[in-house]
Amino acid sequence: MSWKQGMSKFWAKKTGKVAVTAFSVGALITPVAGCGTAGAASSNTVVIGGKNFTEQDIMADMMADLIQKDTNLKVVKKRWLDSNVLWNAEKNGDVDIYVEYTGTGLVNILKDPVTTDPNKAYQTVKQQFEQKYHITWLNPIGFNNTYAMAMTQSEAKKLGVTTISQMAAKSKSLVLGTEQDFITRSDGLPAMNKLYGTQFKSVKSMEIGLKYKALVSGDVDVIDAFSTDGNIPANHLVLLKDDKHLFPPYYACPIIRDSVLKAHPELKTVLNKLSGKITDEEMQKLNEQVDLEHKSADVVAKTWLQQNGLL
């Protein structure tokens, strides 16, 4: 993943703080004949959206392939959209379906307090989105793209650590590599220091794209990461277990406008074919194929569906 993609991913999913202007919405969302505010519910076309990072691109292709295989509906894809732009497009009827994360739905959209209980987060967004926005959350796909702490296998083995608690106990001799935002965010390093008692020997602020190189080269001992990042398998890294449940859940789920689901109820069964099918490790490998092996997202998506008997 490029640095720009990394930054887009970080801001889009974790904070949703990218500025949204009338210009950006108008420029990125072009009405589709038969869809839009009038609703795909009245047509034979559905619009699938995606945020501006690789994982979302892959999921948009998977959902499109399933719908085109199992229904008579046509699919239009609107991808690489800013998180806020995409959410507003869904609310306004310019997009019918996209994959959202429970943590983003709970904190960034509903403005509810953070919870570390995955089921509570899912049930809250499912109920409140239905009541407030007439949008249905389908079943979780399986992977949880949340924060994580990563080390090289050799370093973790040498230190004998598999959890953040064990790493924290040795943190006075460790160097943390991380982007500036994780250092200052109240739910980032300050929260980890408070809950786990981490006291790093030093903290090096660096761009997202440089963290993995610094870790592999030994310039730092541990970094913060996203749990489905393709750099994790590519660099043979290990993720330390968040044994005190610091980081909130970000489980991925397809969400769909109720009017579309009412007009095309078969979409629930079709999209729920992804329910529980993709683990964190599988999503890492799918992202790796696109970000580091430079395969196209649509090929990666189609291949995975075929290999898993869904296409």
Side-chain angles (χ1 to χ4, degrees), residues 10 147 149 176-193 200 202-207 211 224 247:
F10 181 86
Y147 286 114
M149 303 307 295
L176 171 68
T178 180
E179 68 278 0
Q180 183 61 32
D181 191 74
F182 186 77
I183 297 173
T184 57
R185 281 177 62 96
S186 61
D187 58 349
L189 182 58
M192 187 165 68
N193 289 341
F200 290 104
S202 67
V203 176
K204 291 186 176 180
S205 175
M206 55 186 65
E207 295 175 355
K211 287 190 306 184
D224 67 305
F247 301 125

Side-chain angles (χ1 to χ4, degrees), residues 97-153:
I97 304 164
Y98 76 94
V99 167
E100 187 54 279
Y101 301 89
T102 52
T104 305
L106 185 72
V107 178
N108 296 108
I109 296 177
L110 294 176
K111 309 299 182 187
D112 275 17
V114 172
T115 177
T116 57
D117 183 334
N119 187 55
K120 182 179 179 181
Y122 175 71
Q123 293 301 330
T124 299
V125 294
K126 184 176 179 63
Q127 293 170 9
Q128 292 200 33
F129 271 61
E130 180 66 47
Q131 294 170 0
K132 294 183 177 180
Y133 307 115
H134 305 295
I135 289 173
T136 294
W137 282 66
L138 300 180
N139 294 344
I141 295 169
F143 60 90
N144 175 26
N145 188 355
T146 187
Y147 286 114
M149 303 307 295
M151 301 182 83
T152 62
Q153 291 182 5

Side-chain angles (χ1 to χ4, degrees), residues 12 28-29 49-52 78-83 85-86 89 95:
L28 292 169
I29 300 296
K51 302 188 185 188
N52 49 3
K78 297 287 185 181
R79 304 187 283 190
W80 290 92
L81 301 177
D82 166 80
S83 184
V85 171
L86 179 56
V95 166

Side-chain angles (χ1 to χ4, degrees), residues 5-59:
Q5 287 176 326
M7 286 303 294
S8 294
K9 173 178 177 178
F10 181 86
W11 286 105
K13 187 164 75 63
K14 303 303 180 188
T15 69
K17 288 181 179 177
V18 178
V20 180
T21 66
F23 171 78
S24 64
V25 174
L28 292 169
I29 300 296
T30 301
V32 177
C35 300
T37 305
S42 61
S43 75
N44 66 341
T45 302
V46 293
V47 181
I48 294 177
K51 302 188 185 188
N52 49 3
F53 52 93
T54 299
E55 182 173 293
Q56 286 273 319
D57 215 20
I58 296 170
M59 295 315 304

